Each structure stands twice: as structure tokens, then as C-alpha cells.
Amino acid sequence: MKLKTALLGAAACLMVAPAAFAERGSDGEVRILYSQAVSTMNAYLSSGTKDVEVGSLVLEPLAGFNEKGEVIPRLVTEIPSLENGGLTEDMTSITWKIKPGLKWSDGTDFTAHDAVFTAQYCMDPAGGCAQLARYEGIDKVEALDDLTVKITFHEPKPNPFMAFVGSQSPILQAAQFAGCLGANASSCTDQNFKPIGTGPFRVTEFRTNDTVMLEANPYYRDPAKPAFATALVKGGGDATAAARAVMETGEFDYAWNTQISPELQAELASAGKGQFVNAFGTLVERIEMNMTDPSPSLPEGERSTPKHPHPILSDMRVRKALSMAIDRQILVDIGYGEAGRPTCNLVPAPEMYASDNTDCLVQDMEGAKALLEEAGWTDTDGDGIRDKDGEKLSLLYQTSVNAIRQDFQAIIKQWWNEIGVEVELKTVDPSVFFGGDAGSPDTFQKFYADVEMYANNFDGTDPEPYLAQYTCDKAPTPESQWQGENINRFCDPEYDALIKELSATGDMEARAALAKRLNDMLTKDSYVIVPIVDRGRLSAHSNTLGGVILNTWDSELWNASDWYRIK
């Protein structure tokens, strides 16, 4: 079936809010806890989920995704389709019709020109846009009038719902960000911390890596929403403390990413003050292999860049051996229970896009040792650590501070030690690790380590923009302010060509086949990405917070405008 045929029936899906409140701000304050504190409210300057999601309370895209993965209108009257003329038959353009009367939170008019500016902002090569993959294949974005945005693609685009769709691609106010194009993007502190938006809230105070204070947007398009007059987003601590703050002490109404053990989940649920919400989507805990040399002996500006290939991990046999030594089921049992599944895939869902790749599911220690021997790594001095040409097989393994991740680090280090690999563990505060600060040596984008572990996911149900992150041009570099989505610096012209082919393929079966092939190139064909656990989203909310619908296809805060206090 052609994708464009499927789009014939696309229609506006309206979010139905509960009739639990009839007056904006009548329910006081909602308190939200993110164990990874927010570093910026601008999704274009951070790949960190915590920044994208909290930013979505203020900044919105033209359209988003609901809990079923369906495209829904936010700032537009309907979802473009062939039937309503929003998509052209040749799939080379998409036209969005903006709702009349929309205001920014400063009371000025929202127009199509803001969308045009946003595309210019992200597509500026000097800006280091963290969401550049969502603008893949765009020739131009133009305002046909104040309420009409037209995107024209270089060639037919079977999946046109990328730019301006989902929380990773919001609209910025052109007037506020006019001086923030290109290399100026990261230095626009006031704009990035207190963006003017169209969402249900607006920022009143921003404390980096700590707290965001918000108030109801007086110009929000629904006069009865949001129900809460203010919102507090507190950051920091850890997942266990976050879960306790909702489920046990009742200090907070919502806790994001309560990544705790199954036993602790049961204990906290028994307190009766809240409930956990869980759903599977595309969130994969994985280990990324640095394809470049992060050695501090290199000049600053050359570390972790393509100028210097990694002296150990450039050999696929080493990367594969590291994967073979991992018992993923043990990690799931220890860390997630029913909220996790072992996986070998970067793209575990939707089912039609998931590869049948299962090669990694059985631990093979002897096979891993044999591969390292074949690669020339042997224990010549009998100390248990392999060496080659006078260099030890030694790796720096970093991740964010999180109890489950530290458990994983300890166990994986033990397995890697058993096959003769020396491992140094490093933990970084998650607010810093996922923060995107170009001046910090500890961000996951800068990748000043040999391997690093984290999880992220993609908006919607089509993996094209997610897989497009790994093209050669999207590697973080000093020139891009260390922003970029290709974290491991993987570069394969064949991969880039297949991404281009996927972008122009409309047949659903062919798209699925290409997506699986691209997934396999990153995983079992090269082991530059070593998936570990297909993680269900697990968060918690108090029994007095109504309207919560967990969404694994967009921001968890996607319908915060519909939240209300249960009296």
C-alpha cells in the first residue's frame, strides 16, 4: 500500500478534554518533577528528552501525535491530506492552514512567518540544530499568506509529517529569536530560557539545571485551559526520589521517568497516594561506540572528531565482542521487570518497522574472547587485561547518574573484565549529560569517552527522522557548537544513500524493508550501536491529578493543558 494512499483518509483528530473545569487557573498549582533537570526550554539546542518535554509546555509545533501515534492538529485547522488538498499528488509539498486568531504568550499575532523563520533557524548550518533530521529533504518553506505555510521538498516526500510536527520541532517566535540565527543560537540565553510560546504555560522564572516556574498563558487559545494557574517543574535528584515524591510523600503531582526496580515499584504503589503509568514505544537503552578518538592528549577541538579515528573501537570485531559479552535478559530482570524487554534493535516499534534481529539475545563469552584474539588483542603479561602493540584494551564507559544505569555499568564492567577489557566507569549528572552546553566536557553529544549509555526515542510512528540522525553530516563538531544527532560519529555513504531512498519511498512494505536495513546497519552489521533494553515509559502521578494520558509517541506532557485537580 502506498503511504500517500493511506494519507487520503487523514483527518483532523481533535483532543477531547475532560469537562472537569470551566475556568482557566482555577485549580492552583501543579507540581512536576524531572529527575533530570532542565537546561534549556529550546528543543533545537538540546537532544535531551527532559528539555524537549518541559519546553513543550511553552513551545508548540503545528501538529503533534496522540497516544495512538496519530497526527493531530495543534496550531492548524486540520491535518493536510490528499483529500483536503494539503498534500500534492506528487508528494512534493505540504500546506498547513493555521487557525485564525492565535496569539503568542506576549499577545502578538502568531503567523506563518514564524514557521518560515523557525525553518531558517534550524537549517542554518552554523547553528548546530539538535533536530536537523526533522528538516531533511526540504527545499524551501514559505508563507503564502499570514495563515498558510507551504513546505516544498527537493523530491517526493512520502512522510511529510516531520518539520513542525511533534515536540521535537516546535515553532519559535521570529520577533524574539531574530538575533539568534547561526552561531548566535546558543548565546541567546534569555530567549532559550524564557521563550515566548503558544502553549498552555509561559515561563516566569528559569533556574538552569534546577527549577522552571510557569504561569497559565493568558492568551492560550482555549479560554478554559489550562486548569492550573501555575506550574512548577523541579529538576534533579534521582528516579527513586522522584517516584517517592509522588507515590509516598505526595509532594509532587507528576514524576517523569521513574526508572526504578520492580520491587520498589510495588512497595511505593502500596502507599495508595498515586499510580504508575507504563507503556511501550520506541525508547531503547543502548551503548553507543565512539568511532572517533576522545583522548585528552589530542588538541581541544580535535577530540572526538573525524580527524582522529578511534584507536580501539574502529575495529568492528572489538565492538561486536563487547556486545556478545552482555546478557540482556539479566539486565532486564534486574532493572525493569515487566517494564523492559531485551532487544537488539534501535527501532523496536512499530512492529512493521522492527527488524527480526535477535542475534544479540544470547550471551557468548567464549565467542567474544575469540573475536578479540582474532583482532590481535591478547594478554601478553598475564594481568588479565588484553593488549596490542604495547597498548592496553582499556575503555572509559560513561552514563548519567541513575541507580539502574549504575547497576548496569557495574554488571557490564564485570562481563567486559571477564573477556579481558579494562573498564573505567564515569557518571555525569543527567542535567549536564543531556544538557547540550557547548562549554561542558561532559555532555553526551561531546562524547569525551569511549562508550556511553543512554536512551532516547522518536516522535510519531515513522522512524525516518530518527534513522536520518546517523548520516555523516549530523555528527557533533566544534563548528556546530557540539550539537548534532549522530552521537557516535558513524559515517557510511551507503547508509546516507539509503536514507535518501527511504525519504522518497512511498510503498509501505518497501519503507519497512529500508528501515529494517538501516537499523541493521547501525546494530548487527556494525555494532556502532549496541541496544540493550526496549524500555517501557514508566512515570507516576498522584491520585488527585486528572487528565493524564501517557503518550509514548510524543512528549509525556503533550496534554498538560487538559490536566486538572480531582477534588
Side-chain angles (χ1 to χ4, degrees):
M1 181 180 73
K2 300 290 186 183
L3 181 59
K4 70 175 185 178
T5 302
L7 293 170
L8 277 168
C13 299
L14 299 177
M15 290 180 288
V16 180
F21 55 87
E23 183 181 350
R24 175 180 294 153
S26 59
D27 284 348
E29 182 173 74
V30 61
R31 296 171 64 84
I32 302 168
L33 187 55
Y34 269 62
S35 54
Q36 298 174 8
V38 180
S39 303
T40 179
M41 297 292 284
N42 183 356
Y44 293 114
L45 294 184
S46 175
S47 300
T49 303
K50 44 95 176 182
D51 298 324
V52 172
E53 294 202 347
V54 177
S56 73
L57 293 171
V58 174
L59 296 174
E60 296 181 295
L62 296 182
F65 300 96
N66 66 14
E67 77 278 14
K68 299 176 183 177
E70 300 164 333
V71 186
I72 57 171
R74 286 198 179 276
L75 306 178
V76 292
T77 58
E78 60 186 352
I79 300 303
S81 66
L82 295 174
E83 188 176 54
N84 62 29
L87 295 173
T88 56
E89 283 286 343
D90 62 4
M91 303 299 287
T92 58
S93 73
I94 181 172
T95 301
W96 297 92
K97 297 288 187 180
I98 295 170
K99 293 177 180 178
L102 291 180
K103 299 286 186 182
W104 289 102
S105 58
D106 64 354
T108 59
D109 291 337
F110 176 93
T111 75
H113 303 283
D114 294 299
V116 173
F117 171 82
T118 299
Q120 180 188 2
Y121 175 93
C122 186
M123 295 171 70
D124 190 313
C129 181
Q131 311 297 342
L132 187 59
R134 305 202 73 82
Y135 292 82
E136 194 82 20
I138 290 178
D139 178 34
K140 60 181 176 179
V141 179
E142 53 191 329
L144 302 185
D145 56 47
D146 283 351
L147 298 180
T148 309
V149 180
K150 181 180 180 181
I151 302 175
T152 303
F153 303 103
H154 290 294
E155 53 192 359
K157 190 74 170 178
N159 174 26
F161 300 123
M162 293 170 57
F164 311 140
V165 182
S167 58
Q168 294 177 347
S169 188
I171 308 295
L172 303 177
Q173 189 194 60
Q176 184 186 27
F177 282 85
C180 304
L181 292 171
N184 293 328
S186 61
S187 62
C188 286
T189 303
D190 290 344
Q191 293 89 336
N192 296 327
F193 289 177
K194 292 186 176 182
I196 295 165
T198 58
F201 295 95
R202 63 184 184 183
V203 180
T204 57
E205 183 178 355
F206 185 94
R207 302 174 194 163
T208 310
N209 297 334
D210 186 357
T211 306
V212 186
M213 299 292 298
L214 306 103
E215 66 181 4
N217 175 3
Y219 298 99
Y220 189 61
R221 55 191 171 274
D222 188 327
K225 300 178 183 178
F228 293 101
T230 59
L232 166 74
V233 181
K234 177 65 177 174
D238 55 41
T240 300
R244 289 189 185 280
V246 170
M247 303 292 290
E248 193 172 64
T249 68
E251 298 171 77
F252 285 83
D253 297 299
Y254 192 90
W256 167 81
N257 191 29
T258 47
Q259 190 181 353
I260 58 176
S261 69
E263 294 77 15
L264 187 53
Q265 291 173 39
E267 175 191 327
L268 296 182
S270 66
K273 290 190 176 182
Q275 56 188 285
F276 288 106
V277 284
N278 180 49
F280 282 94
T282 59
L283 185 65
V284 171
E285 190 80 18
R286 78 293 195 112
I287 292 174
E288 299 251 352
M289 305 283 180
N290 197 340
M291 300 301 291
T292 59
D293 190 352
S295 173
S297 65
L298 293 172
E300 189 61 33
E302 294 188 17
R303 296 177 65 185
S304 290
T305 69
K307 293 180 181 179
H308 302 280
H310 199 285
I312 296 172
L313 296 175
S314 293
D315 189 333
M316 191 192 79
R317 292 170 295 186
V318 176
R319 303 193 300 268
K320 183 175 181 179
L322 295 172
S323 176
M324 293 170 69
I326 297 172
D327 189 327
R328 289 157 174 82
Q329 186 61 58
I330 287 179
L331 296 178
V332 168
D333 293 342
I334 290 171
Y336 297 99
E338 295 301 315
R341 301 180 288 212
T343 188
C344 304
N345 289 323
L346 176 65
V347 178
E351 185 177 356
M352 68 173 294
Y353 292 113
S355 171
D356 61 0
N357 174 19
T358 58
D359 293 355
C360 78
L361 296 184
V362 177
Q363 184 185 48
D364 184 0
M365 300 293 279
E366 295 307 313
K369 293 175 183 177
L371 264 183
L372 294 177
E373 292 280 346
E374 181 184 314
W377 293 96
T378 58
D379 181 8
T380 58
D381 54 13
D383 65 352
I385 303 301
R386 296 175 184 271
D387 53 85
K388 179 180 178 181
D389 301 329
E391 296 294 328
K392 290 289 186 181
L393 181 46
S394 181
L395 301 174
L396 175 60
Y397 173 11
Q398 72 177 14
T399 190
S400 64
V401 174
N402 174 288
I404 291 177
R405 286 191 172 134
Q406 270 68 82
D407 286 345
F408 279 21
Q409 276 187 306
I411 297 168
I412 292 171
K413 175 181 179 177
Q414 181 179 329
W415 287 326
W416 286 355
N417 286 166
E418 288 181 31
I419 62 172
V421 181
E422 183 178 58
V423 182
E424 178 186 350
L425 301 181
K426 178 180 177 180
T427 58
V428 182
D429 183 285
S431 304
V432 175
F433 189 67
F434 295 110
D437 179 1
S440 171
D442 294 324
T443 66
F444 82 115
Q445 298 100 326
K446 191 165 280 188
F447 206 167
Y448 281 0
D450 302 300
V451 299
E452 64 183 10
M453 181 172 64
Y454 63 92
N456 65 13
N457 62 304
F458 56 90
D459 283 352
T461 56
D462 191 295
E464 180 188 336
Y466 195 54
L467 291 166
Q469 294 178 357
Y470 289 91
T471 55
C472 298
D473 63 323
K474 296 188 181 71
T477 63
E479 293 73 26
S480 67
Q481 324 303 316
W482 291 107
Q483 291 290 350
E485 302 144 301
N486 183 354
I487 302 302
N488 55 42
R489 288 63 161 156
F490 169 79
C491 185
D492 184 341
E494 181 186 354
Y495 186 92
D496 287 16
L498 286 176
I499 286 291
K500 188 174 182 180
E501 184 179 345
L502 176 64
S503 177
T505 299
D507 182 85
M508 292 297 283
E509 291 186 4
R511 283 183 69 79
L514 282 167
K516 292 174 183 177
R517 175 75 185 110
L518 289 160
N519 172 89
D520 290 353
M521 289 179 74
L522 294 169
T523 56
K524 71 175 183 179
D525 292 349
S526 68
Y527 295 91
V528 294
I529 296 176
V530 175
I532 301 173
V533 181
D534 175 11
R535 283 175 46 190
R537 285 282 193 113
L538 181 69
S539 293
H541 69 85
S542 72
N543 290 333
T544 66
L545 182 62
V548 175
I549 300 174
L550 186 64
N551 187 344
T552 63
W553 309 109
D554 207 327
S555 167
E556 282 193 27
L557 306 180
W558 72 292
N559 74 330
S561 61
D562 295 340
W563 290 4
Y564 60 95
R565 182 69 66 201
I566 297 174
K567 303 296 193 294

